[in-house]
């Protein structure tokens, strides 16, 4: 990762964190934001992988964290309008932030029933192949989706037809309140796929440069027509599953505090400073600018109207 690449990674990760922090503040102050799932602590994995793509590639996201969407170029105001279910975002208030749909940015959308994304991803990859494009489909997934059957169907076909599909497993320790180790042998989400002959890389999901390099290799492999590849990032869900869940019932407070010491932003910042690539002053300046951007986008979203009859009619028209 060169200097510009590393600074871009840091800026995109900080954008994600600034958004999560701000929304958490608003929720604590009594505002409502349906379906908010904080991605705090996982930015290296989501953003590092997203930035390994080119503009023509496609990305299927999970419900957690928003840095990967912003890294694709989704404006903050559109994201926050979706989060608050207002008009003028990507789904006019009908899909919340769970169903961001911006095909022009390579964001085809997101399913609600876990597992279906794998066969959708394989289908999108097949469509790219048939169209003769060189685009790759990157599909993030968590412990819950990855323990469902469609992953097997999708990978079977993707290997057979050498489809340009890259899977990025977000191993963050939990599926709601279940530990990864109770869902997967040895607590690894991707080891089983080695038997399919699929390249599997297990990386430190809190090291953005390592993630970026591994996903770049996987994307290159898929783009060359050599079939699917998997990158599993080990990270940790610092936030509760949803704000205010009963996390005291399934983990000790010291666990999250321990992982906070491996914070991906702090780690990258320290390396950038050591290399003389980004000073503490430049970081503070960046943080101030991002905070102002998020505040402005929030004000814009709050002022936007919720959907009414015309937006509903337009949606119904799409179904006809
Ligand atoms: C088939 C199906 N079952 C259950 C759900 C409800 N659900 C929403 S989020 C979630 C847990 C997600 O866990 P994981 O995949 O590990 O992602 P994380 O929240 O840890 O990022 C579940 C079970 C769903 N969306 N689809």
């Amino acid at each position: 990762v060169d200097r510009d690449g590393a600074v871009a990674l840091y800026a995109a990760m900080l954008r994600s964190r600034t958004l999560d922090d701000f929304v958490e503040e608003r929720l604590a102050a009594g505002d409502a934001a349906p379906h908010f799932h904080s991605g705090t602590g996982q930015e290296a994995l989501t953003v590092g992988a997203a930035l390994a793509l080119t503009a023509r590639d496609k990305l299927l996201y999970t419900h957690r964290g928003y840095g990967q969407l912003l890294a694709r170029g989704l404006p903050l105001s559109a994201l926050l309008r979706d989060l608050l279910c207002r008009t003028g975002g990507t789904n006019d208030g009908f899909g919340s932030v769970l169903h961001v749909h911006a095909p022009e940015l390579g964001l085809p959308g997101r399913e609600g029933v876990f597992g279906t994304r794998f066969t959708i991803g394989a289908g999108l990859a097949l469509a790219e192949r048939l169209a003769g494009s060189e685009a790759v489909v990157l599909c993030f997934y968590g412990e819950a989706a990855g323990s469902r059957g469609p992953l097997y169907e999708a990978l079977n076909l993707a290997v057979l037809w050498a489809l340009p599909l890259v899977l990025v497993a977000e191993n963050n320790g939990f599926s709601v309140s279940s530990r990864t180790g109770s869902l997967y042998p040895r607590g690894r989400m991707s080891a089983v796929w080695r038997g399919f002959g699929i390249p599997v890389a297990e990386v430190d999901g809190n090291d953005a440069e390592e993630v970026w390099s591994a996903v770049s290799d996987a994307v290159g492999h898929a783009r060359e027509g050599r079939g699917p590849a998997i990158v599993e990032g080990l990270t940790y869900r610092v936030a509760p599953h949803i704000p205010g869940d009963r996390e005291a019932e399934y983990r000790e407070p010291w666990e999250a505090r321990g992982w906070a010491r491996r914070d991906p932003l702090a780690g990258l910042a320290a390396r950038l400073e050591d290399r003389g690539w980004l000073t503490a002053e430049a970081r503070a300046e960046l943080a101030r600018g991002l905070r102002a951007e998020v505040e402005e986008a929030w004000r814009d979203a709050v002022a936007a109207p919720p959907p009414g009859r015309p937006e509903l009619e337009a949606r119904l028209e799409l179904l006809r």
Side-chain angles (χ1 to χ4, degrees):
V1 184
D2 63 13
R3 180 188 182 136
D4 287 351
V7 171
L9 275 172
Y10 182 80
M13 287 164 62
L14 188 59
R15 179 178 290 260
S16 178
R17 177 72 59 90
T18 307
L19 173 72
D20 280 339
D21 285 350
F22 183 80
V23 173
E24 275 174 11
E25 278 172 37
R26 295 314 317 159
L27 293 177
D31 284 341
H35 307 297
F36 170 72
H37 294 90
S38 168
T40 291
Q42 297 184 207
E43 298 90 349
L45 189 52
T46 48
V47 171
L51 286 183
L53 297 175
T54 60
R56 64 193 161 173
D57 297 327
K58 292 190 162 60
L59 182 155
L60 297 174
Y61 72 109
T62 78
H63 57 286
R64 182 165 305 288
Y66 309 104
Q68 67 284 59
L69 302 175
L70 299 172
R72 290 298 297 173
L74 186 71
L76 270 167
S77 61
L79 183 70
L80 287 176
R81 283 173 180 233
D82 283 352
L83 182 74
L84 298 182
C85 297
R86 307 299 166 102
T87 51
T90 72
N91 56 44
D92 261 342
F94 288 108
S96 80
V97 78
L98 288 181
H99 300 288
V100 169
H101 169 70
E104 69 285 1
L105 298 174
L107 299 170
R110 189 187 154 272
E111 87 292 8
V113 178
F114 282 170
T116 50
R117 80 183 50 176
F118 301 115
T119 39
I120 292 170
L124 289 167
L126 176 59
E128 295 297 338
R129 169 59 48 82
L130 293 176
S133 102
E134 288 193 351
V136 165
V137 178
L138 187 149
C139 177
F140 285 103
Y141 70 106
E143 283 88 340
S147 53
R148 301 214 55 228
L151 179 54
Y152 294 78
E153 294 177 48
L155 279 180
N156 188 62
L157 200 75
V159 171
L160 193 65
W161 291 349
L163 300 179
L165 181 67
V166 171
L167 298 181
V168 177
E170 298 181 35
N171 185 336
N172 69 1
F174 295 97
S175 172
V176 188
S177 52
S178 305
R179 301 261 177 191
T180 311
S182 68
L183 300 166
Y184 293 86
R186 292 185 287 121
R188 287 291 192 278
M189 296 169 65
S190 58
V192 64
W193 302 114
R194 292 186 201 276
F196 271 54
I198 301 171
V200 172
E202 281 175 7
V203 300
D204 176 354
N206 278 18
D207 181 332
E209 293 172 290
E210 194 178 327
V211 169
W212 183 87
S213 300
V215 176
S216 296
D217 288 348
V219 166
H221 174 93
R223 210 186 298 288
E224 285 163 19
R226 296 163 68 198
I230 302 188
V231 178
E232 175 174 356
L234 288 178
T235 181
Y236 186 79
R237 198 194 72 208
V238 178
H241 175 62
I242 48 170
D245 81 358
R246 295 184 302 197
E247 56 180 325
E249 290 180 11
Y250 63 84
R251 67 174 166 191
E252 304 290 337
W254 57 259
E255 207 181 302
R257 282 202 300 272
W259 273 86
R261 282 198 290 276
R262 299 182 50 190
D263 184 86
L265 271 159
L268 184 57
R271 293 201 298 277
L272 292 178
E273 206 168 319
D274 279 354
R275 294 176 204 157
W277 287 358
L278 194 68
T279 61
E281 297 74 51
R283 284 205 317 274
E285 180 71 33
L286 185 64
R288 274 194 297 276
L290 288 171
R291 174 78 191 194
E293 261 185 64
V294 171
E295 286 176 358
E296 170 63 31
W298 180 269
R299 279 194 294 274
D300 165 81
V302 168
R309 187 90 211 167
E311 288 81 15
L312 182 60
E313 298 283 350
R315 291 275 134 181
L316 292 174
E317 195 53 43
L318 287 177
L319 298 176
R320 283 194 192 109

